[in-house]
Amino acid sequence: MKTTRNFARGSLAAIVISASSTFSYASPQDYEFQLVSAEVKQGPDAEVSVRLIDKRNGQPVSDAVIFTTRMDMAPEGMETMTTPLGELPSAEAGTYKFKTNLSMEGGWRFQLGAKVQGEGETVSGEVVVKATP
Ligand SMILES: [Cu+2]
């Protein structure tokens, strides 16, 4: 009898733990944008892909809506040198693909803002792409 009661208590505790981890809200710091490739060939039809990762479990976040982007040459001291970006369809879940005009060789700073499903606050991040000849 004693064994049965302990077992019941143990499984109740397990349910409480899994429920709280499912419903606790993540903070925007739990997410990170990562470049799929650090170097991209310079040119008017350059394609840049970023992966959005949930750092708590290392998993890609596939249902994010990217709503702001900015690409500029801040890493080369040219913050005012910006270039347009357009989102492209992505074949891989958790990866977001963009077309842009990397008109100059060197470092380009890519800033992104995203809405993640179930996340109240905006997730933002930046990566530096190197445009190569
Ligand atoms: Cu420049």
Side-chain angles (χ1 to χ4, degrees), residues 7-127:
F7 174 76
R9 242 143 112 204
S11 46
L12 181 64
I15 291 164
V16 171
I17 289 161
S18 67
S20 68
S21 66
T22 305
F23 295 117
S24 73
Y25 278 97
S27 86
Q29 288 77 40
D30 290 329
Y31 300 94
E32 186 175 81
F33 286 102
Q34 297 173 350
L35 278 173
V36 172
S37 173
E39 293 190 354
V40 174
K41 202 170 161 23
Q42 182 222 337
D45 297 314
E47 285 184 7
V48 178
S49 292
V50 293
R51 210 177 277 127
L52 181 58
I53 297 292
D54 184 336
K55 289 194 280 183
R56 295 165 301 169
N57 56 19
Q59 292 302 302
V61 179
S62 57
D63 47 11
V65 177
I66 311 290
F67 66 94
T68 55
T69 54
R70 176 187 163 98
M71 183 83 90
D72 64 46
M73 283 199 86
E76 306 290 346
M78 291 178 270
E79 196 170 352
T80 55
M81 184 175 172
T82 60
T83 192
L85 283 147
E87 194 169 354
L88 295 172
S90 173
E92 205 186 322
T95 297
Y96 303 85
K97 196 169 161 184
F98 302 85
K99 185 181 164 177
T100 187
N101 178 8
L102 298 180
S103 54
M104 192 174 172
E105 279 173 46
W108 290 82
R109 175 178 64 179
F110 186 16
Q111 296 174 294
L112 303 106
K115 277 285 176 202
V116 172
Q117 206 78 236
E119 175 63 58
E121 289 176 69
T122 298
V123 171
S124 57
E126 63 177 62
V127 291

